[in-house]
Amino acid sequence: MNAFELEGISYEYQGGQKALDAVDLKVPLGESLTVLGTNGSGKSTLLYLLQGLLAPSAGSLRVFGDKTFTPSKRARIGMLFQNSQAQLFSLTVLDELMFGPLQHGLGQKEARGRAEDIMELLGITALAGRSPWQLSGGEMKKVALGTCLSTNPDVYLLDEPTSGLDPRSQVELVELVVRLKEAGKTIITATHDLHMIEDISERSIVIGEDHRVLADGPSAGIIKMNDVLLEANLIHEHAHRHEGFRHVHSHFGVHEHAWEDAGGGKITEAELKTGKEFFLHQMSELTAKLKVLIEHWQEHNAEHARTYLEWAGKAGAEGRAELAETLSEIARESGRLDELFRKAASQL
Ligand SMILES: Nc1ncnc2c1ncn2[C@@H]1O[C@H](COP(=O)(O)OP(=O)(O)O)[C@@H](O)[C@H]1O
Ligand SMILES: [Mg+2]
């Protein structure tokens, strides 16, 4: 059975702002699906439709087999909102986490037990007496996720669940999603974070900036579709000039390099040769190559430093404290590389 079946679903907000266009999608029960799309592509809108918060402007939407959205069906679907504040309203975190279970008819004692289990699972026991409104963004997100877990739904709609989380919490979130998946839950995660999609989902769809589905398939394949990801604005090419040349690469996964002329078109072998001669006329080949390389190393140093930190967090989360510390040290030391790159550039 399918949790959701969408045929030709479109949605326009008041004032005619298009948010989704002719979306066809079937999500079988038990599947974990990632909805990829850049800001404004329509991911949140899609999740609102799946939760019955909005009704489609056109098309047909079936939930658990038919078109009606009964309260009991709604209760089977838990949503983590992109903005956690939107779903937190109790005086304390404990109250917040007991609210759902109490609504579902559990007694005080059982509801409290469930809330405590969830706080332990999410590592937020220390927040029990705090006001949800005074928490950091990441803490708030965990509490919001806790409110979803507290009612034990069959379907999870997670809207940008990792945004605002520190690296360790991101890894924990991915692990939690994997566990939910193994427990047979249906999980739909909206994100523009490409790094986690293979871990959390077997299948992904890409929504383009035109609000249509650009691709639908196994996550491992989607992640390699550079053209689609570029078109959907999920990866970017950054271009920078080197002596009349532009050096372009897409910015996720492998760095594939291509040379283009400054006008944007691919340059021919002959033009490249002329360009090279121009270069060589001015400087030795070693200098010319190093100039390009050093600029490249400099530009990516800060970003690599962030990656070291991210992996330090991941290693730490797996209990590899020593390795985590070494990776943090590499990140700290990368400031020194900046200096050395500048020094090398000045010696060219
Ligand atoms: N309440 C609203 N009123 C009008 N337009 C909206 C509203 N919410 C979202 N939109 C527009 O709908 C489109 C899709 O938005 P959204 O679903 O939030 O995208 P995403 O979650 O992928 O960032 C965007 O162009 C956005 O500006
Ligand atoms: Mg959104």
Side-chain angles (χ1 to χ4, degrees), residues 13-14 17-19 38-45 82 159 211:
Y13 284 95
Q14 274 179 357
Q17 174 60 49
K18 199 173 259 300
T38 194
N39 289 334
S41 57
K43 303 181 296 298
S44 295
T45 304
Q82 184 171 349
D159 201 351
H211 316 292

